[in-house]
């Protein structure tokens, strides 16, 4: 049976995304202690797939995931899942807001609840945990007035009370997850998206010449993201998503042109089916 | 005398950047408790300038700063400072690595030292502080085996020992700071850069048509960054820097074309002198 890894423990948004990605198919969901562990287990074949967050509607790219993906050339994108994400403030029974001494969560959740934390819990200590569910588990067992920012579903799982059901600053907070694996999806069911990583030479118009190839073929970009190449400030690689599959004749021809004429490196992360919103 | 705000307390990289920005001119450096406070004081006129981090060579954009800048249309970029950033692991005298129970720092420093933390301090609690210097101050006064990731200079200021002089994963770790203010720099000394925020309509080729205007005039882009507009996944605004000043005739003409034909919103953040690296 296929093993699908996610950032655990059970109860994270990643678990829910992994469940949605599995759908009605077979697959064992495997909780990993960190995103690094998901990548390490994919690399060594202990997992066939891993479901990881790549982008949030208020915080933007999950940079650690993009950087690890860039560092793992053997991995491809096999699917995507978009999830509504609501962070709840959970506390041990009996704890009130004014009693909270510390808030536990994942750094992304802190970032998505920044205004709430500043307005309602100013000066309260923030402790980073490996995941939102790990934060809930720790709040539950610490026997202190500590709160966790975590999915609502973690309340019943860890015997916590819901103090604030929705603490995220942005009410339409969504996160996009990618299902990664070593095996490429060869004929994804339309509608599809394709994702690329590429670099360009430092000269005027370099990025323009890449985008031109998409524009003249009327291929719609859905996202472009620059990431530091880590070689120095001002040196970037680009993550780009567009509508269509790498096997479409027009796309295939364009990718050849990009590789030969306009990019220093180009890697097709994968083509995958997308759900209509 | 001009008041220049920065993310304090004294001893942060931001203070050093604010000092470099002031140069030999006059100006009182004002420590602020948070980046939000820098923006609030700029808005109300309690500060003439504020020096804030915008981009790091390994972590990319400082998203909270870009988002606040987008939300403050009265602010302009008046200057930039690029600084080498080294995070040191500082501890109270006598504390050894294996004794460390907790590491304190700013989330950006944790992100820049992720591999170090995983390899040398796996499982040790991470507590977010408002700044790296606030972390050093807390480590110094807590009387516990707590370490801070902070500038080396914070060791002598807060009576801490240097356990690891350079804990950042990327040896060439640099951060770019912007000096913000309400008054636009009208005739910046060359060489200059100009920074924009803009939005485009959702249609194939929209970003391409913007970049084309730069390419046909041989204007060199130095950075492009997409940020979620917070209206939903897939809806972005762009931050773009290029070489030249908004007052240059070619640039001026191009900005008019962009505003009239290719963007839904366009804001010139400012033109400012840049130091040659």
């Amino acid at each position: 049976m296929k093993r699908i890894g996610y950032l655990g423990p059970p109860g994270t948004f990643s678990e829910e995304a992994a469940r949605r990605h599995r759908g009605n198919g077979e697959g064992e969901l495997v909780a990993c202690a960190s995103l690094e562990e998901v990548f390490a287990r994919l690399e060594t074949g202990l997992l066939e797939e891993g479901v990881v967050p790549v982008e949030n509607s208020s915080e933007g790219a999950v940079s650690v995931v993009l950087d690890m993906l860039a560092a793992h050339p053997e991995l491809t994108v096999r699917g995507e899942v978009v999830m509504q994400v609501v962070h709840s403030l959970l506390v041990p029974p009996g704890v009130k807001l004014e009693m909270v001494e510390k808030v536990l969560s994942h750094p992304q959740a802190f970032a998505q609840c920044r205004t709430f934390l500043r307005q309602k819990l100013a000066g309260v200590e923030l402790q980073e945990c490996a995941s939102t569910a790990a934060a809930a588990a720790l709040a539950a067992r610490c026997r202190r007035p500590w709160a966790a920012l975590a999915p609502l579903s973690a309340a019943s799982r860890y015997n916590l009370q819901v103090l604030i059901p929705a603490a995220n600053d942005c009410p339409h907070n969504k996160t996009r997850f990618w299902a990664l694996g070593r095996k490429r999806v060869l004929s994804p069911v339309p509608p599809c998206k394709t994702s690329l990583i590429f670099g360009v030479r430092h000269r005027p118009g370099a990025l323009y010449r890449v985008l031109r190839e998409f524009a003249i073929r009327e291929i719609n970009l859905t996202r472009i993201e620059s990431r530091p190449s880590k070689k120095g400030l001002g040196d970037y690689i680009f993550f780009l998503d567009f509508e269509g599959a790498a096997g479409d004749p027009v796309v295939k021809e364009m990718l050849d042109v990009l590789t030969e004429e306009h990019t220093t490196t180009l890697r097709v992360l994968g083509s995958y089916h997308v759900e209509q919103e």
Side-chain angles (χ1 to χ4, degrees), chain A residues 56-264:
Chain A
N56 174 268
S57 57
S58 45
E59 275 309 293
V62 182
S63 48
V64 60
V65 167
L66 296 187
D67 292 348
M68 282 193 288
L69 194 50
H72 280 84
E74 79 282 10
L75 293 182
T76 72
V77 179
R78 297 178 43 83
E80 89 167 15
V81 173
V82 174
M83 295 231 318
Q84 181 84 32
V85 167
V86 177
H87 298 291
S88 307
L89 191 75
L90 309 180
V91 290
V95 172
K96 294 192 170 39
L97 193 62
E98 57 275 17
M99 296 158 64
V100 171
E101 282 176 1
K102 196 192 260 196
V103 182
L104 314 171
S105 199
H106 188 270
Q108 274 274 336
F110 286 141
Q112 291 164 25
C113 303
R114 214 180 290 281
T115 306
F116 166 80
L117 291 168
R118 194 170 59 242
Q119 291 178 346
K120 304 286 183 186
L121 291 162
V124 171
E125 190 178 303
L126 304 183
Q127 180 181 328
E128 288 196 4
C129 294
S131 71
T132 54
L138 179 54
R141 70 167 185 270
C142 69
R143 299 177 183 279
R144 308 263 315 159
W146 291 358
L149 284 169
L152 194 65
S153 64
S156 56
R157 187 186 294 267
Y158 294 105
N159 259 324
L160 293 169
Q161 274 184 346
V162 181
L163 207 54
I164 310 277
N168 31 288
D169 302 331
C170 194
H172 310 294
N173 193 34
K174 284 187 178 177
T175 298
R176 189 154 75 109
F177 293 81
W178 273 347
L180 306 176
R182 278 162 304 146
K183 263 185 79 187
R184 207 168 274 278
V185 177
L186 292 176
S187 305
V189 177
C192 297
K193 275 205 296 208
T194 298
S195 296
L196 306 177
I197 304 181
F198 65 88
V200 292
R201 260 177 292 278
H202 261 291
R203 60 177 185 194
L207 180 60
Y208 154 75
R209 276 187 281 272
V210 171
L211 299 193
R212 184 171 179 275
E213 300 299 332
F214 289 89
I216 59 179
R217 291 169 183 84
E218 299 193 331
I219 296 173
N220 198 18
L221 306 190
T222 54
R223 174 178 173 237
I224 183 164
E225 186 83 43
S226 61
R227 285 290 303 155
S229 69
K230 315 223 168 186
K231 288 178 201 153
L233 267 182
D235 202 52
Y236 303 97
I237 55 171
F238 294 92
F239 286 77
L240 188 150
D241 302 341
F242 61 89
E243 292 172 359
D248 298 348
V250 175
V251 173
K252 204 165 172 313
E253 180 263 334
M254 178 192 67
L255 291 172
D256 289 343
V257 172
L258 290 179
T259 305
E260 279 163 33
E261 297 179 21
H262 302 303
T263 58
T264 51

